Amino acid sequence: MTKPYSARTPNHDLSGLWTGFYAYDLTDDAVPFTAWISEDDGTITGSVLEDDITSPESDGECTSEIIGERRGLDVRFTKIETAGPDGSLELLRYQGDTDPECCVISGVWFFDDPAESSGTFMMTRISGALKAAIQPAAASESQFGRNTED
């Protein structure tokens, strides 16, 4: 049985699997993404998988790396994308806040050049660190794989 939300152990960092969306200012179109984040003593690293909205193919995806930091509830990271066929890098800055349980992050994103696009983002934790996903699977394997006749 799953514990009620309030009875779960609080997360002390942002490590885990996240899902979210970002939107451009002045539009209602949201682009979904999935992110894997690892936090170590306030340093954030990870990767993002999202639809490639610049691709002529409708099922194109792209991956990006992220690096940043969390100080208290303040979250800042840079998404590093490979842009274009020349392999040049594009940097997008994200600034936001997390809730005290580190389960939701929301804020704004922007390029370094103020003339470029900007917008908002929101992401929600799907699961905690990998350990949280492995333990229930291992428990059910041992439960069903065990010989109960002694």
Side-chain angles (χ1 to χ4, degrees), residues 10-102:
N11 296 300
H12 298 288
D13 66 32
L14 300 175
S15 297
L17 185 61
W18 294 75
T19 185
F21 67 89
Y22 65 88
Y24 288 82
D25 283 343
L26 307 176
T27 71
D28 291 332
D29 298 331
V31 179
F33 66 85
T34 302
W36 176 257
I37 296 177
S38 178
E39 181 182 345
D40 184 22
D41 197 28
T43 299
I44 298 169
T45 57
S47 58
V48 175
L49 176 66
E50 64 187 271
D51 291 340
D52 184 353
I53 60 174
T54 64
S55 172
E57 299 176 24
S58 62
D59 62 349
E61 293 180 330
C62 61
T63 59
S64 305
E65 299 300 314
I66 59 172
I67 187 165
E69 65 182 5
R70 179 179 67 89
R71 301 278 183 245
L73 300 180
D74 182 52
V75 179
R76 296 170 188 253
F77 60 89
T78 299
K79 184 167 77 170
I80 305 163
E81 294 181 348
T82 302
D86 63 352
S88 61
L89 298 179
E90 193 166 64
L91 306 178
L92 288 94
R93 312 295 181 177
Y94 285 72
Q95 293 181 351
D97 297 307
T98 184
D99 64 318
E101 289 81 28
C102 293

Side-chain angles (χ1 to χ4, degrees), residues 111-135:
F111 291 94
D112 289 332
D113 180 353
E116 293 277 344
S117 299
S118 62
T120 58
F121 76 98
M122 183 173 145
M123 50 200 290
T124 306
R125 182 191 301 271
I126 296 173
S127 71
L130 183 57
K131 179 179 173 185
I134 293 173
Q135 284 181 335

